[in-house]
Amino acid sequence: FSGIVDMRLNAVDLGSSVAKLALKATIGVARLEVSLKAVSLCCEMGKVVSRSIAVSNVGNMVAGIDMELSSSSSALFIHPSTLHILPGESRQVEVTFSPTSEETVAERVLHLTLAEVGETYDVLIRGTGTNEKKSFPLACNMPFLHFGGVEIGSTKQLELVLQSLLEGQSLDLEIEVERHQANFQVTDRP
């Protein structure tokens, strides 16, 4: 819908228009679904690793999306920086991590902003660079734990599996939550 607001002075002898203001309204809603809330990337120094994030428009109008990292990074990149997605359509955003110095760790928030309404969707991006000379004797089935959507007063458990990479050797581990967060507990299942 469109229209024009005509502004006039409220006087008998001054009936001409002082200013005109164009109006435009679109019926519908642009709403996004993002496949991941967090992305963890890890690779050796001097190498490159990429991961795609699916962004879907589950609304009923075209979604114009501007994307940017929370702050600049020499190791994390996104492509493309803008998208236009039709209703019911899905597109891929590629996140690339390329560490260039010893033990580089980069953590940024990817902001996906709907241009029409300013609504923002956030994805945590974390990249860790490793020195190829080091090898870690432990493997884990999850790069991070994400508890999203836990109601106050309730409990949610996530399980992860740790495995020794040393053949025929077991590892004696001590596992604790950093900074002693009272809301998290570690339990052991043999």
Side-chain angles (χ1 to χ4, degrees):
F1 296 102
S2 63
I4 295 177
V5 173
D6 196 12
M7 292 177 248
R8 301 172 188 263
L9 290 175
N10 194 10
V12 176
D13 57 343
L14 299 172
S16 64
S17 182
V18 176
K20 294 183 186 275
L21 179 65
L23 301 173
K24 183 180 176 185
T26 304
I27 296 175
V29 132
R31 188 174 305 126
L32 300 181
E33 276 186 2
V34 182
S35 63
L36 300 169
K37 300 292 182 207
V39 175
S40 183
L41 302 166
C42 183
C43 71
E44 296 174 1
M45 296 298 160
K47 304 275 179 158
V48 176
V49 64
S50 296
R51 179 116 186 237
S52 291
I53 301 170
V55 179
S56 302
N57 180 357
V58 295
N60 58 5
M61 64 182 277
V62 175
I65 306 162
D66 296 319
M67 293 172 285
E68 66 180 358
L69 294 172
S70 55
S71 60
S72 63
S73 170
S74 61
L76 286 172
F77 307 95
I78 57 165
H79 181 77
S81 60
T82 61
L83 285 174
H84 290 284
I85 306 177
L86 297 173
E89 197 174 67
S90 188
R91 295 276 177 89
Q92 299 293 318
V93 175
E94 188 169 319
V95 179
T96 303
F97 177 61
S98 178
T100 55
S101 62
E102 292 288 319
E103 299 300 317
T104 295
V105 175
E107 187 171 290
R108 302 288 188 278
V109 176
L110 170 60
H111 301 294
L112 296 99
T113 305
L114 281 168
E116 295 82 7
V117 294
E119 188 175 350
T120 300
Y121 298 78
D122 292 336
V123 178
L124 176 66
I125 310 291
R126 181 180 173 88
T128 305
T130 60
N131 183 343
E132 61 186 327
K133 296 173 189 165
K134 296 179 182 178
S135 67
F136 298 98
L138 186 66
C140 180
N141 67 329
M142 301 176 82
F144 55 88
L145 298 175
H146 179 59
F147 288 86
V150 179
E151 293 182 25
I152 293 175
S154 64
T155 301
K156 183 174 184 178
Q157 288 187 337
L158 295 179
E159 185 174 315
L160 60 93
V161 177
L162 301 174
Q163 178 183 2
S164 171
L165 297 178
L166 302 174
E167 280 195 42
Q169 293 183 344
S170 62
L171 296 172
D172 188 23
L173 299 175
E174 181 178 314
I175 301 172
E176 64 181 38
V177 178
E178 281 187 12
R179 296 185 207 109
H180 306 290
Q181 294 287 332
N183 293 323
F184 296 98
Q185 294 179 345
V186 177
T187 58
D188 181 21
R189 286 190 180 169

